[in-house]
Amino acid sequence: MDDKNKAKPEKQPEIINPEKIGRESAAGGTPEKINSPEIKLTPEKPAEFKDRPAEKSGSDINIPGSGGLAGISNQQKAGQARQKEVEKIMEENIEEIFISLPPERQAEFKLAGERTAAEINGLFEKGKATMKKIMDLVKKWLSILPGVNKFFLEQEAKIKADKILEMNDQ
């Protein structure tokens, strides 16, 4: 048999420990190499993050350079458009009252209004929107306003709930 025809044993590639890359060993000045086939593929979470629950990702994730919301389905876009319409209906006829509020109360009222609109939108998405539920949500939101008459609350809640239900029917 020729020495040329003999099969040479294949060299196994040396596994480099990813934690040691960039560090020089005392012996040769090169990164340390390990012969263990076990490599940890996922890094451990730092201790400060181990006990923290994972954050939920929202549907309105902005990707830089995308020019807007990315990865949103048509159904989600329709839901967002419906929520904006609900917000517009809710803010009708209360501009004067809103402007007369102090800035910190304005921020509180606005945030509560956005949450209320989101809740109403959620009712529509689930198919559980009723006049009573919408009126209750709107009344609860309007009750944040200081010194508002009980009859005004009822009347405005009824008007806004009617318009919201009509808007959704279209």
Side-chain angles (χ1 to χ4, degrees), residues 62-140:
N62 256 343
I63 297 177
S66 67
L69 300 174
I72 295 179
S73 69
N74 288 339
Q75 185 177 9
Q76 289 172 328
K77 287 179 185 177
Q80 288 176 348
R82 181 176 49 232
Q83 183 170 335
K84 291 290 181 192
E85 287 295 317
V86 169
E87 288 176 9
K88 284 180 185 178
I89 292 169
M90 288 173 57
E91 63 189 29
E92 288 176 5
N93 301 326
I94 57 167
E95 296 90 10
E96 293 175 16
I97 299 170
F98 180 77
I99 292 171
S100 68
L101 293 173
E104 58 275 353
R105 293 287 287 211
Q106 284 182 355
E108 176 189 349
F109 187 70
K110 181 178 179 185
L111 182 62
E114 290 171 354
R115 286 183 185 150
T116 302
E119 287 181 51
I120 291 170
N121 191 37
L123 290 174
F124 283 124
E125 287 176 0
K126 294 176 187 174
K128 296 186 175 189
T130 64
M131 179 65 127
K132 181 170 177 18
K133 288 181 182 180
I134 294 172
M135 276 185 64
D136 289 343
L137 288 170
V138 173
K139 271 196 271 187
K140 182 180 172 187

Side-chain angles (χ1 to χ4, degrees), residues 34-90:
I34 59 172
N35 293 325
S36 170
E38 297 178 29
I39 296 178
K40 189 181 281 187
L41 298 177
T42 57
E44 269 191 45
K45 289 183 180 179
E48 62 189 69
F49 296 112
K50 284 185 180 180
D51 296 331
R52 191 189 314 179
E55 294 180 13
K56 295 179 182 177
S57 61
S59 63
D60 56 335
I61 297 173
N62 256 343
I63 297 177
S66 67
L69 300 174
I72 295 179
S73 69
N74 288 339
Q75 185 177 9
Q76 289 172 328
K77 287 179 185 177
Q80 288 176 348
R82 181 176 49 232
Q83 183 170 335
K84 291 290 181 192
E85 287 295 317
V86 169
E87 288 176 9
K88 284 180 185 178
I89 292 169
M90 288 173 57

